[in-house]
Amino acid sequence: MKAVLQRVTEASVTIEGQKVADINGGLLILVGIEDADTQEDINWLTAKIAKLRIFGDADGVMNLSVQETGGDIIVVSQFTLHALTKKGNRPSYIKAGRPEVAIPLYEAFVQQMEAELGKKIQTGQFGADMKVALLNDGPVTLIIDTKNRE
């Protein structure tokens, strides 16, 4: 499972002209799922994200987590995070999870993130053509791969 975390001052997701998610301050999380991912990956990743100290404290030092700041989160499914680009110029998505595997894991990720933070998480729509808008704060952008956690 891969995640791209972007600290934002605002973010939104629009599908077919309809805004389905909208936050002011927090994290926009793009999540890519592969067939080999499990609940263990979800547990580790959601705990890591909730406690990751990437928000400024009173002195402007990145010393606070989204959990501590009460920031909001939007989670967006992003199969292209598993693109293979080594050969040729057309990315291969063979490592990306098939929908029958990825959808339940994506939903479990969102539910576990809500449990970690004790609040509702906004989302895009799995498989939809989404327009994602954000104002990256910092900019702070991190990439986390659960297969590289050791």
Side-chain angles (χ1 to χ4, degrees):
M1 186 171 286
K2 292 182 182 179
V4 175
L5 282 63
Q6 297 180 84
R7 187 178 75 183
V8 298
T9 56
E10 60 186 64
S12 64
V13 177
T14 302
I15 301 172
E16 295 180 2
Q18 179 86 21
K19 195 175 281 190
V20 297
D22 190 19
I23 63 171
N24 290 313
L27 294 173
L28 172 68
I29 304 172
L30 306 175
V31 177
I33 297 167
E34 61 183 339
D35 288 340
D37 290 329
T38 66
Q39 185 65 44
E40 183 180 328
D41 293 295
I42 292 168
N43 295 344
W44 181 85
L45 185 56
T46 56
K48 174 65 85 175
I49 291 169
K51 295 173 180 71
L52 204 58
R53 300 182 326 173
I54 59 173
F55 291 87
D57 63 15
D59 297 321
V61 177
M62 283 197 284
N63 205 24
L64 300 174
S65 67
V66 69
Q67 195 171 44
E68 294 168 314
T69 64
D72 290 320
I73 293 180
I74 296 177
V75 176
V76 175
S77 63
Q78 185 77 46
F79 77 93
T80 60
L81 292 179
H82 288 288
L84 300 174
T85 59
K86 189 173 183 179
K87 292 183 181 179
N89 295 316
R90 184 182 177 119
S92 168
Y93 302 106
I94 196 165
K95 287 190 69 174
R98 297 178 320 273
E100 61 270 18
V101 172
I103 291 171
L105 289 172
Y106 171 73
E107 291 171 351
F109 176 86
V110 172
Q111 290 173 354
Q112 184 67 29
M113 198 78 249
E114 289 176 340
E116 286 284 340
L117 297 177
K119 66 190 299 184
K120 183 78 174 142
I121 302 298
Q122 296 186 50
T123 66
Q125 180 184 332
F126 191 96
D129 180 14
M130 296 174 272
K131 307 303 179 211
V132 179
L134 69 132
L135 185 55
N136 195 311
D137 182 18
V140 174
T141 302
L142 303 171
I143 301 169
I144 302 174
D145 186 337
T146 61
K147 303 305 185 244
N148 295 327
R149 63 181 130 174
E150 296 177 18

